[in-house]
Amino acid sequence: MRIVLVGPPGAGKGTQAAFLAKNLSIPHISTGDLFRANISQGTDLGKQAKAFMDAGNLVPDEVTIGMAKDRMAQSDAENGFLLDGFPRNVSQAEALDVALKADDVKLDAVLDLEVPEDEVVKRIAGRRICRKDSSHVFHVTYSKPKTEGVCDVCGGELYQREDDSEDTVRKRLEVYHTQTEPIIDYYRTQGLVVTISALGKVDEVTARAMEALKGDK
């Protein structure tokens, strides 16, 4: 299957993408991974992306699209893929359609993870990260440390990242509503959108998604 995964920040896209890709035996292709791979490998596209990023500028659509096209052309994506974080806007979605059409393939579904805005804010603004080891993550509601403000694993101080503050989260949501959400309507006109609730336990959401995709085949 060829799937695009969409949803607001805090919807659990990365987590669900990993599980769904494994269950469907297709590669999980995320924008972040594309950038890191191209930059670390020193590809032409990676060098272009790094130059824009080092200057504090957004990477142009054509560079991101080029990376995505190269990745989708690899042998492990021959029978499908799951795109996470791409396309990010309608112009990227249109470019993706053109690229797929050139290879005589098409998307099977666009999975829309739906989460109420207040829940998104609660999920992200409640995160607390360990200063000693950022892989140790807690939550003031869903995964409380035994001692408030102290990492259970190493005793480091827990803090809220600036990116996780409520004001920043709401700004990120505004960007999502303005730039990314319109692709849902774009794909809905093609009859590709499958919307599911992303509330509940991770395995419950995965099962819900798998069932929805099965019904969409």
Side-chain angles (χ1 to χ4, degrees):
M1 291 189 80
R2 295 173 177 84
I3 304 165
V4 168
L5 188 65
V6 295
K13 292 190 298 299
T15 301
Q16 289 304 322
F19 280 105
L20 291 170
K22 184 177 180 180
N23 286 339
L24 294 166
S25 300
I26 54 177
H28 167 207
I29 303 174
S30 77
T31 307
D33 288 344
L34 287 176
F35 279 31
R36 282 187 288 274
N38 278 271
I39 291 171
S40 67
Q41 292 165 18
T43 67
D44 287 342
L45 288 168
K47 291 173 183 175
Q48 291 178 49
K50 189 174 186 301
F52 283 104
M53 292 163 73
D54 287 348
N57 298 319
L58 291 174
V59 177
D61 282 354
E62 57 265 27
V63 176
T64 306
I65 291 162
M67 290 181 183
K69 285 170 67 176
D70 285 350
R71 180 64 185 87
M72 290 185 295
Q74 292 179 22
S75 59
D76 66 336
E78 187 176 343
N79 295 317
F81 48 74
L82 190 151
L83 295 174
D84 166 22
F86 175 85
R88 196 173 291 275
N89 54 48
V90 173
S91 64
Q92 289 185 359
E94 292 171 340
L96 175 61
D97 278 353
V98 171
L100 293 176
K101 189 174 181 180
D103 291 332
D104 200 27
V105 296
K106 60 182 181 178
L107 292 174
D108 293 295
V110 174
L111 184 62
D112 171 29
L113 299 182
E114 194 171 65
V115 186
E117 194 159 303
D118 286 346
E119 176 63 18
V120 167
V121 174
K122 184 178 179 182
R123 286 182 180 185
I124 300 178
R127 285 180 191 155
R128 297 295 182 268
I129 314 295
C130 177
R131 286 195 188 276
K132 285 186 179 180
D133 187 334
S134 60
S135 70
H136 303 160
V137 182
F138 296 83
H139 194 281
V140 297
T141 303
Y142 304 122
S143 182
K144 294 181 180 180
K146 293 173 183 174
T147 303
E148 186 176 347
V150 180
C151 175
D152 289 355
V153 183
C154 66
E157 178 196 356
L158 299 180
Y159 75 105
Q160 182 188 54
R161 295 184 307 183
E162 190 176 331
D163 282 354
D164 292 344
S165 71
E166 182 171 340
D167 285 347
T168 302
V169 175
R170 292 198 181 278
K171 286 174 185 173
R172 287 169 64 193
L173 282 166
E174 285 178 20
V175 172
Y176 171 76
H177 292 318
T178 302
Q179 296 184 11
T180 305
E181 201 169 46
I183 73 172
I184 297 173
D185 285 336
Y186 172 80
Y187 284 124
R188 188 171 280 123
T189 63
Q190 300 179 35
L192 291 171
V193 177
V194 179
T195 300
I196 67 159
S197 169
L199 295 176
K201 296 178 181 178
V202 171
D203 57 346
E204 292 174 346
V205 178
T206 303
R208 204 176 293 147
M210 288 296 294
E211 192 62 31
L213 290 171
K214 192 189 304 178
D216 195 64
K217 283 185 179 180

